[in-house]
Amino acid sequence: KAHGVRDWPKPGEVFYPETDGKPMADNTKQYRWMVLFIENIKDLFTHQPNVFVAGDLLWYPAQGRPDISLAPDCLVAFGRPRGDRGSYKQWEEAGVAPHVVFEVLSPNNTTIEMMDKLAAYERYGVEEVYYYDPDNHGLRAWLRQWDKLQRVESVEGLQSPLLKIRFWPTSDGLKVERPDGTAFESFQEVREN
């Protein structure tokens, strides 16, 4: 088989697309924040081979239902090995839903769209959900309590129960601290230090 050529599904097999046809980001600000979350969280777990972190990867929570998919800007799944995937098929991942998801909002996101996503994250077992709006520096968070995602009223100094990172929203932006108190940094910031 030629490199890069995929087999077509056999008759009766369900086809799960690896793209939704949408861009990864709508603008450079959204992209910058997505990369900041993805790369810094990957770095936090660099010595733990069973923490899977990805960005803008299609997640299929239900086998046989390619019409049900989500593509969080960043997802973290504990107990799943690192590595490349064309999509995250939950039934092939020992039934493990992503534990933490981040959405970096763009001007094109609607309230209805984001509330629908939140309902799906709740339905399919996500433990922590974070929505960050880089235009107004607003952060919203939901943590699972019992079987529901509950909105966190005050996010200043909020520590992620699973990631152990802290969030400090300010009028200038969002500061995200690692468990050791150092700030999330971009590749450029790391290079300059």
Side-chain angles (χ1 to χ4, degrees), residues 144-158:
R144 186 169 292 274
Q145 294 179 352
W146 300 283
D147 207 24
K148 299 281 183 202
L149 286 171
Q150 302 292 327
R151 174 108 185 247
V152 177
E153 294 304 320
S154 176
V155 293
E156 186 171 340
L158 172 67

Side-chain angles (χ1 to χ4, degrees), residues 15-27:
F15 176 64
Y16 297 91
E18 293 183 356
T19 179
D20 57 8
K22 297 176 184 171
M24 180 173 171
D26 290 332
N27 58 54

Side-chain angles (χ1 to χ4, degrees), residues 108-120 131 140:
N108 293 330
N109 291 126
T110 66
T111 301
I112 292 171
E113 170 194 10
M114 299 316 293
M115 294 316 291
D116 286 349
K117 273 190 162 186
L118 182 64
Y131 285 4
R140 289 180 286 165

